[in-house]
Amino acid sequence: ASTGMGLLTGTWLAIGAVLHAGAPGSRSAGLGLLLIASTGALLSVAAAALITKPLATLVLATTAARFACVGVYELSGRGAWQTATGVIGIVLTAIAWYAATALLLEDVAGRAVLPTLRPGSSRTTEQLFANDLGQLASEPGVRHPA
């Protein structure tokens, strides 16, 4: 999920730069190619997260579909792709809102309140440290509690 968010950040930065530099209403073949490439990268990340983080996979895959539609629109200029992008954007907004709410409630309550589609039970960081400190402590980026 973190890799996906990093890809999104870089892609959005590029989109912002192209839109800032371009004329209003213009299309960019370069941006279209970047979005198609980002689609492939996001789908790879989504596939890797499928088993352990299906809700994040759904958000990333929907984002990839939206990027693909925008990319094709930027390359072709056909209005149907622009419309499809808008529809997928509305669906993506709903999925992302649900995912954020479900994960926030899970974090606050320490248990799943809304379905997150994740296999197994939700565990807090404290529970992870208490149950399997040896294995978890060796994971990259893990900070030890004070």
Side-chain angles (χ1 to χ4, degrees), residues 49-59 95-123:
L50 181 61
I51 295 171
T52 58
K53 295 180 171 75
L55 191 55
T57 298
L58 183 60
V59 172
I95 294 170
W97 177 85
Y98 175 84
T101 302
L103 295 172
L104 177 64
L105 290 173
E106 181 179 286
D107 187 47
V108 170
R111 61 180 177 76
V113 177
L114 295 172
T116 59
L117 310 175
R118 210 176 337 187
S121 62
S122 64
R123 297 183 292 175

Side-chain angles (χ1 to χ4, degrees), residues 115-131:
T116 59
L117 310 175
R118 210 176 337 187
S121 62
S122 64
R123 297 183 292 175
T124 64
T125 304
E126 291 80 18
Q127 290 169 329
L128 288 170
F129 273 105
N131 293 338

